Amino acid sequence: MPELPEVETIKNELASHVLGRKICGVGLFWERIVRGISLDEFSRRIVGKKIADLKRRGKFLIFQLTDGEYFIIHLKVSGSLLVSRDSDEPPRFTRAVIYLDNGKIICFRDPRKFGRMWLTRDVSEATGKLGPEPLTKDFTSEVLAGILARRKAPIKAVLTDQNAIAGIGNMYADEALYAARVHPLRPASSLSPPEIKRLFEAIREILPAAIESKGASVVNYYRPGGEKGIAHFAFKVAHGLGGKTCSVCGGEIKRIVVRGRGSYFCATCQK
DNA sequence: ATAAGGCCCTGACCGC
DNA sequence: TGCGGTCAGGGCCTTA
């Protein structure tokens, strides 16, 4: 599941393959993968453009093209972007292929077909409602406190709400709440100042560490070269990977469902 | 405005 | 071995 650290890793490792390259063709094998415009218009407008820059916003990957166009990808649950040669057969479940002028291709592999692509002159069409980036300097403990103060929903739901904070998904929300010793069902506005401080520090520690480890390969996450990340080896609770008991107190790691998502936590440490 | 639930999809997994 | 049923999950859409 690509979240902020995974998309950041993909961005970092894709850059050398794509920056300055011209898109000389596309293959589209799943009609609903493109949002907003038809497959024909997508092809017509993207072919011939150069990739001038590559950025990440939340879980969106943004290719800045020449002529004011932006090619935007969201990998959702099961998407990956794999680089190979145009002479190679694209891997199974490839929904789209981007052909570059250096003989390389980017394969958008997505077994679940949840992933989406945009081609637009206005980035906000895809990313407009996103909350702040949690790793920038202006995201502070006070900013987090302000976001949480007006929300009564479970803290887990607010952390994973992209319109509240961008980039945190199911895995890293569980890890951050565990590190901060906060129960996932606590109403966001009920967190005390020390709890907010701990949560802020957990976010600022866990996300960069996961980027350092090139992301977490739980299911269907691969780096552009096909390698896996190793961030999941550091997981304490997320996705049930932390063992049956808490490594701190020996308490039971429980699974509950919050807003339809599996949530793992220590029933003793997280109040 | 916020909260909550359904939906999209299909591979993986389970029980028989 | 094969079959049917169930589950997972991000974000959009609808409803309250």
Side-chain angles (χ1 to χ4, degrees):
Chain A
M1 274 142 292
E3 303 181 20
L4 187 155
E6 288 73 32
V7 181
E8 181 72 14
T9 300
I10 292 167
K11 185 204 76 179
N12 291 339
E13 300 189 348
L14 209 50
S16 65
H17 298 285
V18 305
L19 287 183
R21 308 274 40 114
K22 191 164 89 178
I23 296 171
C24 53
V26 294
L28 301 165
F29 314 120
W30 166 243
E31 58 269 37
R32 293 164 71 176
I33 198 165
V34 174
R35 299 280 296 194
I37 55 175
S38 69
L39 297 186
D40 281 350
E41 186 182 350
F42 178 88
S43 304
R44 186 165 45 75
R45 276 171 52 187
I46 200 169
V47 170
K49 304 289 193 295
K50 264 190 181 174
I51 300 169
D53 202 2
L54 183 59
K55 292 175 180 163
R56 179 195 58 74
R57 173 82 172 94
K59 304 177 194 172
F60 292 83
L61 197 59
I62 303 169
F63 297 75
Q64 188 185 336
L65 308 180
T66 46
D67 296 337
E69 298 272 17
Y70 294 89
F71 170 43
I72 305 172
I73 296 179
H74 197 301
L75 299 169
K76 292 283 183 88
V77 198
S78 66
S80 54
L81 294 176
L82 300 166
V83 175
S84 61
R85 314 288 312 177
D86 57 11
S87 51
D88 294 341
E89 183 75 12
R92 199 182 170 203
F93 309 123
T94 294
R95 310 302 181 192
V97 178
I98 306 293
Y99 295 84
L100 303 176
D101 65 352
N102 56 357
K104 290 175 181 171
I105 59 174
I106 306 168
C107 299
F108 186 174
R109 181 182 184 271
D110 185 21
R112 296 281 161 87
K113 294 183 173 174
F114 277 16
R116 294 291 181 264
M117 312 193 298
W118 292 255
L119 185 67
T120 177
R121 309 182 78 83
D122 176 14
V123 177
S124 72
E125 194 183 309
T127 67
K129 292 177 180 168
L130 289 180
E133 284 291 321
L135 296 183
T136 54
K137 214 184 272 180
D138 52 352
F139 183 77
T140 61
S141 187
E142 290 71 33
V143 170
L144 177 62
I147 291 165
L148 302 187
R150 49 200 156 79
R151 302 288 299 267
K152 290 191 180 108
I155 181 65
K156 169 74 185 281
V158 176
L159 279 182
T160 55
D161 178 355
Q162 301 303 295
N163 302 332
I165 304 165
I168 299 175
N170 206 31
M171 303 184 297
Y172 295 104
D174 278 359
E175 288 301 309
L177 288 170
Y178 173 80
R181 307 195 298 279
V182 174
H183 193 292
L185 283 178
R186 288 273 301 283
S189 57
S190 77
L191 268 66
S192 69
E195 287 173 328
I196 294 171
K197 189 93 198 304
R198 293 206 299 269
L199 186 55
F200 173 76
E201 283 165 2
I203 291 168
R204 296 286 275 235
E205 190 172 318
I206 288 166
L207 295 181
I211 294 169
E212 199 74 18
S213 298
K214 315 291 185 194
S217 287
V218 176
V219 278
N220 282 313
Y221 165 69
Y222 298 96
R223 292 153 55 195
E227 312 93 333
K228 294 184 172 188
I230 58 168
H232 52 293
F233 292 122
F235 281 177
K236 301 286 201 295
V237 290
H239 224 270
L241 292 178
K244 299 225 186 307
T245 56
C246 171
S247 58
V248 173
C249 76
E252 186 191 356
I253 299 298
K254 282 195 170 168
R255 179 184 187 275
I256 56 172
V257 175
V258 182
R259 280 279 230 284
R261 307 289 180 258
S263 302
Y264 296 86
F265 68 103
C266 171
T268 308
C269 293
Q270 293 172 256
K271 294 300 179 190

PDB file of all heavy atoms in Angstrom, chain A residues 7-21 51-56 61-63 81 83 100 102 104 106 223-225:
ATOM      1  N   VAL A   7       5.485   6.562  -1.917  1.00  0.00           N
ATOM      2  CA  VAL A   7       5.413   7.441  -3.090  1.00  0.00           C
ATOM      3  C   VAL A   7       6.663   8.313  -3.175  1.00  0.00           C
ATOM      4  O   VAL A   7       7.181   8.565  -4.265  1.00  0.00           O
ATOM      5  CB  VAL A   7       4.127   8.298  -3.050  1.00  0.00           C
ATOM      6  CG1 VAL A   7       4.047   9.203  -4.277  1.00  0.00           C
ATOM      7  CG2 VAL A   7       2.893   7.402  -2.999  1.00  0.00           C
ATOM      8  N   GLU A   8       7.163   8.750  -2.033  1.00  0.00           N
ATOM      9  CA  GLU A   8       8.404   9.533  -2.013  1.00  0.00           C
ATOM     10  C   GLU A   8       9.571   8.695  -2.567  1.00  0.00           C
ATOM     11  O   GLU A   8      10.393   9.192  -3.343  1.00  0.00           O
ATOM     12  CB  GLU A   8       8.704   9.977  -0.574  1.00  0.00           C
ATOM     13  CG  GLU A   8       9.953  10.818  -0.412  1.00  0.00           C
ATOM     14  CD  GLU A   8       9.819  12.231  -0.950  1.00  0.00           C
ATOM     15  OE1 GLU A   8       8.675  12.674  -1.226  1.00  0.00           O
ATOM     16  OE2 GLU A   8      10.860  12.900  -1.118  1.00  0.00           O
ATOM     17  N   THR A   9       9.629   7.435  -2.180  1.00  0.00           N
ATOM     18  CA  THR A   9      10.682   6.544  -2.677  1.00  0.00           C
ATOM     19  C   THR A   9      10.560   6.354  -4.187  1.00  0.00           C
ATOM     20  O   THR A   9      11.554   6.407  -4.921  1.00  0.00           O
ATOM     21  CB  THR A   9      10.584   5.173  -1.974  1.00  0.00           C
ATOM     22  OG1 THR A   9      10.733   5.364  -0.564  1.00  0.00           O
ATOM     23  CG2 THR A   9      11.668   4.222  -2.466  1.00  0.00           C
ATOM     24  N   ILE A  10       9.333   6.127  -4.647  1.00  0.00           N
ATOM     25  CA  ILE A  10       9.106   5.955  -6.086  1.00  0.00           C
ATOM     26  C   ILE A  10       9.562   7.210  -6.826  1.00  0.00           C
ATOM     27  O   ILE A  10      10.245   7.134  -7.856  1.00  0.00           O
ATOM     28  CB  ILE A  10       7.624   5.641  -6.361  1.00  0.00           C
ATOM     29  CG1 ILE A  10       7.271   4.256  -5.806  1.00  0.00           C
ATOM     30  CG2 ILE A  10       7.316   5.719  -7.853  1.00  0.00           C
ATOM     31  CD1 ILE A  10       5.787   3.972  -5.737  1.00  0.00           C
ATOM     32  N   LYS A  11       9.183   8.370  -6.287  1.00  0.00           N
ATOM     33  CA  LYS A  11       9.596   9.638  -6.906  1.00  0.00           C
ATOM     34  C   LYS A  11      11.122   9.719  -6.985  1.00  0.00           C
ATOM     35  O   LYS A  11      11.685   9.991  -8.048  1.00  0.00           O
ATOM     36  CB  LYS A  11       9.058  10.810  -6.083  1.00  0.00           C
ATOM     37  CG  LYS A  11       9.334  12.162  -6.700  1.00  0.00           C
ATOM     38  CD  LYS A  11       9.346  13.259  -5.671  1.00  0.00           C
ATOM     39  CE  LYS A  11      10.632  13.223  -4.870  1.00  0.00           C
ATOM     40  NZ  LYS A  11      10.722  14.286  -3.864  1.00  0.00           N
ATOM     41  N   ASN A  12      11.788   9.451  -5.875  1.00  0.00           N
ATOM     42  CA  ASN A  12      13.258   9.556  -5.833  1.00  0.00           C
ATOM     43  C   ASN A  12      13.921   8.614  -6.832  1.00  0.00           C
ATOM     44  O   ASN A  12      14.897   8.971  -7.489  1.00  0.00           O
ATOM     45  CB  ASN A  12      13.767   9.225  -4.424  1.00  0.00           C
ATOM     46  CG  ASN A  12      13.394  10.291  -3.412  1.00  0.00           C
ATOM     47  OD1 ASN A  12      13.099  11.434  -3.784  1.00  0.00           O
ATOM     48  ND2 ASN A  12      13.373   9.922  -2.143  1.00  0.00           N
ATOM     49  N   GLU A  13      13.402   7.397  -6.928  1.00  0.00           N
ATOM     50  CA  GLU A  13      14.082   6.390  -7.742  1.00  0.00           C
ATOM     51  C   GLU A  13      13.670   6.433  -9.211  1.00  0.00           C
ATOM     52  O   GLU A  13      14.351   5.886 -10.069  1.00  0.00           O
ATOM     53  CB  GLU A  13      13.828   4.998  -7.126  1.00  0.00           C
ATOM     54  CG  GLU A  13      14.377   4.939  -5.704  1.00  0.00           C
ATOM     55  CD  GLU A  13      14.379   3.557  -5.094  1.00  0.00           C
ATOM     56  OE1 GLU A  13      13.748   2.645  -5.658  1.00  0.00           O
ATOM     57  OE2 GLU A  13      15.028   3.398  -4.034  1.00  0.00           O
ATOM     58  N   LEU A  14      12.533   7.096  -9.475  1.00  0.00           N
ATOM     59  CA  LEU A  14      12.082   7.230 -10.856  1.00  0.00           C
ATOM     60  C   LEU A  14      12.768   8.411 -11.548  1.00  0.00           C
ATOM     61  O   LEU A  14      12.932   8.416 -12.777  1.00  0.00           O
ATOM     62  CB  LEU A  14      10.559   7.443 -10.848  1.00  0.00           C
ATOM     63  CG  LEU A  14       9.710   6.983 -12.020  1.00  0.00           C
ATOM     64  CD1 LEU A  14      10.003   5.545 -12.398  1.00  0.00           C
ATOM     65  CD2 LEU A  14       8.232   7.173 -11.689  1.00  0.00           C
ATOM     66  N   ALA A  15      13.175   9.380 -10.742  1.00  0.00           N
ATOM     67  CA  ALA A  15      13.644  10.664 -11.281  1.00  0.00           C
ATOM     68  C   ALA A  15      14.723  10.507 -12.347  1.00  0.00           C
ATOM     69  O   ALA A  15      14.617  11.076 -13.436  1.00  0.00           O
ATOM     70  CB  ALA A  15      14.136  11.552 -10.143  1.00  0.00           C
ATOM     71  N   SER A  16      15.764   9.715 -12.053  1.00  0.00           N
ATOM     72  CA  SER A  16      16.880   9.622 -12.994  1.00  0.00           C
ATOM     73  C   SER A  16      16.464   8.986 -14.319  1.00  0.00           C
ATOM     74  O   SER A  16      17.098   9.214 -15.342  1.00  0.00           O
ATOM     75  CB  SER A  16      18.017   8.802 -12.371  1.00  0.00           C
ATOM     76  OG  SER A  16      17.592   7.472 -12.164  1.00  0.00           O
ATOM     77  N   HIS A  17      15.395   8.187 -14.296  1.00  0.00           N
ATOM     78  CA  HIS A  17      14.938   7.542 -15.530  1.00  0.00           C
ATOM     79  C   HIS A  17      14.118   8.489 -16.406  1.00  0.00           C
ATOM     80  O   HIS A  17      14.081   8.332 -17.615  1.00  0.00           O
ATOM     81  CB  HIS A  17      14.073   6.324 -15.214  1.00  0.00           C
ATOM     82  CG  HIS A  17      14.782   5.237 -14.465  1.00  0.00           C
ATOM     83  ND1 HIS A  17      15.688   4.399 -15.053  1.00  0.00           N
ATOM     84  CD2 HIS A  17      14.709   4.857 -13.159  1.00  0.00           C
ATOM     85  CE1 HIS A  17      16.154   3.537 -14.154  1.00  0.00           C
ATOM     86  NE2 HIS A  17      15.577   3.801 -12.997  1.00  0.00           N
ATOM     87  N   VAL A  18      13.415   9.439 -15.772  1.00  0.00           N
ATOM     88  CA  VAL A  18      12.407  10.190 -16.523  1.00  0.00           C
ATOM     89  C   VAL A  18      12.718  11.667 -16.736  1.00  0.00           C
ATOM     90  O   VAL A  18      12.218  12.264 -17.695  1.00  0.00           O
ATOM     91  CB  VAL A  18      11.012  10.066 -15.856  1.00  0.00           C
ATOM     92  CG1 VAL A  18      10.627   8.594 -15.690  1.00  0.00           C
ATOM     93  CG2 VAL A  18      10.951  10.802 -14.518  1.00  0.00           C
ATOM     94  N   LEU A  19      13.525  12.266 -15.859  1.00  0.00           N
ATOM     95  CA  LEU A  19      13.723  13.718 -15.960  1.00  0.00           C
ATOM     96  C   LEU A  19      14.392  14.092 -17.281  1.00  0.00           C
ATOM     97  O   LEU A  19      15.418  13.519 -17.658  1.00  0.00           O
ATOM     98  CB  LEU A  19      14.539  14.238 -14.780  1.00  0.00           C
ATOM     99  CG  LEU A  19      13.790  14.276 -13.442  1.00  0.00           C
ATOM    100  CD1 LEU A  19      14.665  14.883 -12.358  1.00  0.00           C
ATOM    101  CD2 LEU A  19      12.471  15.034 -13.561  1.00  0.00           C
ATOM    102  N   GLY A  20      13.793  15.035 -17.976  1.00  0.00           N
ATOM    103  CA  GLY A  20      14.317  15.496 -19.255  1.00  0.00           C
ATOM    104  C   GLY A  20      13.947  14.617 -20.440  1.00  0.00           C
ATOM    105  O   GLY A  20      14.265  14.939 -21.575  1.00  0.00           O
ATOM    106  N   ARG A  21      13.278  13.516 -20.163  1.00  0.00           N
ATOM    107  CA  ARG A  21      12.896  12.588 -21.243  1.00  0.00           C
ATOM    108  C   ARG A  21      11.598  13.035 -21.903  1.00  0.00           C
ATOM    109  O   ARG A  21      10.742  13.655 -21.275  1.00  0.00           O
ATOM    110  CB  ARG A  21      12.726  11.163 -20.707  1.00  0.00           C
ATOM    111  CG  ARG A  21      13.897  10.655 -19.926  1.00  0.00           C
ATOM    112  CD  ARG A  21      14.990  10.015 -20.788  1.00  0.00           C
ATOM    113  NE  ARG A  21      15.289  10.646 -22.038  1.00  0.00           N
ATOM    114  CZ  ARG A  21      16.464  11.241 -22.311  1.00  0.00           C
ATOM    115  NH1 ARG A  21      17.413  11.313 -21.408  1.00  0.00           N
ATOM    116  NH2 ARG A  21      16.677  11.752 -23.490  1.00  0.00           N
ATOM    117  N   ILE A  51       9.292  15.547 -19.796  1.00  0.00           N
ATOM    118  CA  ILE A  51       9.114  15.536 -18.340  1.00  0.00           C
ATOM    119  C   ILE A  51      10.129  16.486 -17.726  1.00  0.00           C
ATOM    120  O   ILE A  51      11.326  16.201 -17.695  1.00  0.00           O
ATOM    121  CB  ILE A  51       9.266  14.108 -17.781  1.00  0.00           C
ATOM    122  CG1 ILE A  51       8.210  13.191 -18.411  1.00  0.00           C
ATOM    123  CG2 ILE A  51       9.137  14.122 -16.251  1.00  0.00           C
ATOM    124  CD1 ILE A  51       8.421  11.708 -18.127  1.00  0.00           C
ATOM    125  N   ALA A  52       9.642  17.621 -17.256  1.00  0.00           N
ATOM    126  CA  ALA A  52      10.525  18.670 -16.761  1.00  0.00           C
ATOM    127  C   ALA A  52      10.823  18.518 -15.275  1.00  0.00           C
ATOM    128  O   ALA A  52      11.887  18.913 -14.803  1.00  0.00           O
ATOM    129  CB  ALA A  52       9.899  20.047 -17.025  1.00  0.00           C
ATOM    130  N   ASP A  53       9.875  17.948 -14.532  1.00  0.00           N
ATOM    131  CA  ASP A  53      10.076  17.815 -13.092  1.00  0.00           C
ATOM    132  C   ASP A  53       9.174  16.706 -12.561  1.00  0.00           C
ATOM    133  O   ASP A  53       8.175  16.341 -13.193  1.00  0.00           O
ATOM    134  CB  ASP A  53       9.762  19.138 -12.379  1.00  0.00           C
ATOM    135  CG  ASP A  53      10.451  19.230 -11.020  1.00  0.00           C
ATOM    136  OD1 ASP A  53      11.192  18.285 -10.650  1.00  0.00           O
ATOM    137  OD2 ASP A  53      10.251  20.239 -10.331  1.00  0.00           O
ATOM    138  N   LEU A  54       9.557  16.178 -11.402  1.00  0.00           N
ATOM    139  CA  LEU A  54       8.798  15.102 -10.767  1.00  0.00           C
ATOM    140  C   LEU A  54       8.648  15.447  -9.295  1.00  0.00           C
ATOM    141  O   LEU A  54       9.634  15.697  -8.601  1.00  0.00           O
ATOM    142  CB  LEU A  54       9.547  13.775 -10.942  1.00  0.00           C
ATOM    143  CG  LEU A  54       8.883  12.501 -10.419  1.00  0.00           C
ATOM    144  CD1 LEU A  54       7.536  12.263 -11.083  1.00  0.00           C
ATOM    145  CD2 LEU A  54       9.804  11.298 -10.666  1.00  0.00           C
ATOM    146  N   LYS A  55       7.393  15.475  -8.833  1.00  0.00           N
ATOM    147  CA  LYS A  55       7.138  15.873  -7.448  1.00  0.00           C
ATOM    148  C   LYS A  55       6.156  14.907  -6.798  1.00  0.00           C
ATOM    149  O   LYS A  55       5.504  14.117  -7.482  1.00  0.00           O
ATOM    150  CB  LYS A  55       6.528  17.280  -7.411  1.00  0.00           C
ATOM    151  CG  LYS A  55       7.473  18.373  -7.837  1.00  0.00           C
ATOM    152  CD  LYS A  55       6.758  19.701  -7.879  1.00  0.00           C
ATOM    153  CE  LYS A  55       7.714  20.801  -8.316  1.00  0.00           C
ATOM    154  NZ  LYS A  55       7.021  22.001  -8.750  1.00  0.00           N
ATOM    155  N   ARG A  56       6.061  15.028  -5.477  1.00  0.00           N
ATOM    156  CA  ARG A  56       5.055  14.281  -4.729  1.00  0.00           C
ATOM    157  C   ARG A  56       4.220  15.259  -3.923  1.00  0.00           C
ATOM    158  O   ARG A  56       4.740  16.234  -3.401  1.00  0.00           O
ATOM    159  CB  ARG A  56       5.715  13.283  -3.766  1.00  0.00           C
ATOM    160  CG  ARG A  56       4.714  12.483  -2.946  1.00  0.00           C
ATOM    161  CD  ARG A  56       5.357  11.772  -1.771  1.00  0.00           C
ATOM    162  NE  ARG A  56       6.048  12.670  -0.861  1.00  0.00           N
ATOM    163  CZ  ARG A  56       5.444  13.486  -0.011  1.00  0.00           C
ATOM    164  NH1 ARG A  56       4.128  13.505   0.070  1.00  0.00           N
ATOM    165  NH2 ARG A  56       6.148  14.287   0.758  1.00  0.00           N
ATOM    166  N   LEU A  61       1.713  11.380  -7.268  1.00  0.00           N
ATOM    167  CA  LEU A  61       2.976  11.575  -7.965  1.00  0.00           C
ATOM    168  C   LEU A  61       2.679  12.508  -9.135  1.00  0.00           C
ATOM    169  O   LEU A  61       1.768  12.252  -9.922  1.00  0.00           O
ATOM    170  CB  LEU A  61       3.482  10.224  -8.460  1.00  0.00           C
ATOM    171  CG  LEU A  61       4.937  10.104  -8.873  1.00  0.00           C
ATOM    172  CD1 LEU A  61       5.858  10.456  -7.713  1.00  0.00           C
ATOM    173  CD2 LEU A  61       5.221   8.683  -9.340  1.00  0.00           C
ATOM    174  N   ILE A  62       3.454  13.600  -9.227  1.00  0.00           N
ATOM    175  CA  ILE A  62       3.138  14.643 -10.202  1.00  0.00           C
ATOM    176  C   ILE A  62       4.296  14.826 -11.175  1.00  0.00           C
ATOM    177  O   ILE A  62       5.397  15.222 -10.777  1.00  0.00           O
ATOM    178  CB  ILE A  62       2.844  15.980  -9.493  1.00  0.00           C
ATOM    179  CG1 ILE A  62       1.702  15.788  -8.486  1.00  0.00           C
ATOM    180  CG2 ILE A  62       2.508  17.065 -10.516  1.00  0.00           C
ATOM    181  CD1 ILE A  62       1.499  16.964  -7.549  1.00  0.00           C
ATOM    182  N   PHE A  63       4.053  14.507 -12.438  1.00  0.00           N
ATOM    183  CA  PHE A  63       5.034  14.753 -13.499  1.00  0.00           C
ATOM    184  C   PHE A  63       4.710  16.113 -14.110  1.00  0.00           C
ATOM    185  O   PHE A  63       3.642  16.270 -14.707  1.00  0.00           O
ATOM    186  CB  PHE A  63       4.930  13.690 -14.597  1.00  0.00           C
ATOM    187  CG  PHE A  63       5.249  12.281 -14.154  1.00  0.00           C
ATOM    188  CD1 PHE A  63       4.341  11.555 -13.391  1.00  0.00           C
ATOM    189  CD2 PHE A  63       6.445  11.672 -14.530  1.00  0.00           C
ATOM    190  CE1 PHE A  63       4.620  10.247 -13.005  1.00  0.00           C
ATOM    191  CE2 PHE A  63       6.729  10.366 -14.140  1.00  0.00           C
ATOM    192  CZ  PHE A  63       5.816   9.654 -13.373  1.00  0.00           C
ATOM    193  N   LEU A  81       4.816   1.440 -10.082  1.00  0.00           N
ATOM    194  CA  LEU A  81       5.375   1.935 -11.336  1.00  0.00           C
ATOM    195  C   LEU A  81       6.706   1.246 -11.534  1.00  0.00           C
ATOM    196  O   LEU A  81       7.608   1.376 -10.709  1.00  0.00           O
ATOM    197  CB  LEU A  81       5.570   3.456 -11.268  1.00  0.00           C
ATOM    198  CG  LEU A  81       4.282   4.277 -11.162  1.00  0.00           C
ATOM    199  CD1 LEU A  81       4.612   5.756 -10.993  1.00  0.00           C
ATOM    200  CD2 LEU A  81       3.401   4.077 -12.386  1.00  0.00           C
ATOM    201  N   VAL A  83       9.977   0.335 -14.042  1.00  0.00           N
ATOM    202  CA  VAL A  83      10.754   0.745 -15.206  1.00  0.00           C
ATOM    203  C   VAL A  83      11.340  -0.481 -15.879  1.00  0.00           C
ATOM    204  O   VAL A  83      11.895  -1.356 -15.213  1.00  0.00           O
ATOM    205  CB  VAL A  83      11.908   1.688 -14.793  1.00  0.00           C
ATOM    206  CG1 VAL A  83      12.796   2.008 -15.985  1.00  0.00           C
ATOM    207  CG2 VAL A  83      11.352   2.969 -14.190  1.00  0.00           C
ATOM    208  N   LEU A 100       9.259   6.140 -23.193  1.00  0.00           N
ATOM    209  CA  LEU A 100      10.157   7.296 -23.166  1.00  0.00           C
ATOM    210  C   LEU A 100      11.143   7.241 -24.320  1.00  0.00           C
ATOM    211  O   LEU A 100      11.365   6.175 -24.911  1.00  0.00           O
ATOM    212  CB  LEU A 100      10.917   7.321 -21.824  1.00  0.00           C
ATOM    213  CG  LEU A 100      10.042   7.356 -20.574  1.00  0.00           C
ATOM    214  CD1 LEU A 100      10.903   7.269 -19.319  1.00  0.00           C
ATOM    215  CD2 LEU A 100       9.184   8.613 -20.545  1.00  0.00           C
ATOM    216  N   ASN A 102      14.256   7.315 -24.292  1.00  0.00           N
ATOM    217  CA  ASN A 102      15.541   6.681 -23.990  1.00  0.00           C
ATOM    218  C   ASN A 102      15.435   5.157 -24.035  1.00  0.00           C
ATOM    219  O   ASN A 102      16.276   4.457 -23.476  1.00  0.00           O
ATOM    220  CB  ASN A 102      16.074   7.149 -22.629  1.00  0.00           C
ATOM    221  CG  ASN A 102      15.075   6.906 -21.501  1.00  0.00           C
ATOM    222  OD1 ASN A 102      13.963   6.433 -21.741  1.00  0.00           O
ATOM    223  ND2 ASN A 102      15.469   7.218 -20.294  1.00  0.00           N
ATOM    224  N   LYS A 104      13.280   3.378 -22.534  1.00  0.00           N
ATOM    225  CA  LYS A 104      12.704   2.823 -21.319  1.00  0.00           C
ATOM    226  C   LYS A 104      11.187   2.990 -21.320  1.00  0.00           C
ATOM    227  O   LYS A 104      10.649   3.876 -21.990  1.00  0.00           O
ATOM    228  CB  LYS A 104      13.294   3.512 -20.076  1.00  0.00           C
ATOM    229  CG  LYS A 104      14.755   3.152 -19.856  1.00  0.00           C
ATOM    230  CD  LYS A 104      15.349   3.918 -18.701  1.00  0.00           C
ATOM    231  CE  LYS A 104      16.822   3.551 -18.517  1.00  0.00           C
ATOM    232  NZ  LYS A 104      17.490   4.427 -17.540  1.00  0.00           N
ATOM    233  N   ILE A 106       7.685   2.990 -18.577  1.00  0.00           N
ATOM    234  CA  ILE A 106       7.161   2.948 -17.212  1.00  0.00           C
ATOM    235  C   ILE A 106       5.851   2.184 -17.274  1.00  0.00           C
ATOM    236  O   ILE A 106       4.930   2.576 -17.994  1.00  0.00           O
ATOM    237  CB  ILE A 106       6.889   4.355 -16.663  1.00  0.00           C
ATOM    238  CG1 ILE A 106       8.140   5.217 -16.781  1.00  0.00           C
ATOM    239  CG2 ILE A 106       6.424   4.282 -15.211  1.00  0.00           C
ATOM    240  CD1 ILE A 106       7.846   6.685 -16.532  1.00  0.00           C
ATOM    241  N   ARG A 223       9.483  -0.987  -5.684  1.00  0.00           N
ATOM    242  CA  ARG A 223      10.166   0.204  -6.157  1.00  0.00           C
ATOM    243  C   ARG A 223      10.295   0.111  -7.678  1.00  0.00           C
ATOM    244  O   ARG A 223      10.089  -0.948  -8.259  1.00  0.00           O
ATOM    245  CB  ARG A 223      11.524   0.293  -5.458  1.00  0.00           C
ATOM    246  CG  ARG A 223      11.356   0.585  -3.956  1.00  0.00           C
ATOM    247  CD  ARG A 223      12.486   0.071  -3.117  1.00  0.00           C
ATOM    248  NE  ARG A 223      13.776   0.556  -3.556  1.00  0.00           N
ATOM    249  CZ  ARG A 223      14.941   0.040  -3.168  1.00  0.00           C
ATOM    250  NH1 ARG A 223      14.953  -0.995  -2.327  1.00  0.00           N
ATOM    251  NH2 ARG A 223      16.061   0.525  -3.612  1.00  0.00           N
ATOM    252  N   PRO A 224      10.612   1.244  -8.351  1.00  0.00           N
ATOM    253  CA  PRO A 224      10.612   1.233  -9.821  1.00  0.00           C
ATOM    254  C   PRO A 224      11.502   0.160 -10.440  1.00  0.00           C
ATOM    255  O   PRO A 224      11.225  -0.327 -11.540  1.00  0.00           O
ATOM    256  CB  PRO A 224      11.101   2.636 -10.179  1.00  0.00           C
ATOM    257  CG  PRO A 224      10.676   3.473  -9.019  1.00  0.00           C
ATOM    258  CD  PRO A 224      10.830   2.592  -7.809  1.00  0.00           C
ATOM    259  N   GLY A 225      12.556  -0.220  -9.741  1.00  0.00           N
ATOM    260  CA  GLY A 225      13.437  -1.270 -10.258  1.00  0.00           C
ATOM    261  C   GLY A 225      12.946  -2.668  -9.940  1.00  0.00           C
ATOM    262  O   GLY A 225      13.604  -3.652 -10.282  1.00  0.00           O
TER     263      GLY A 225
END
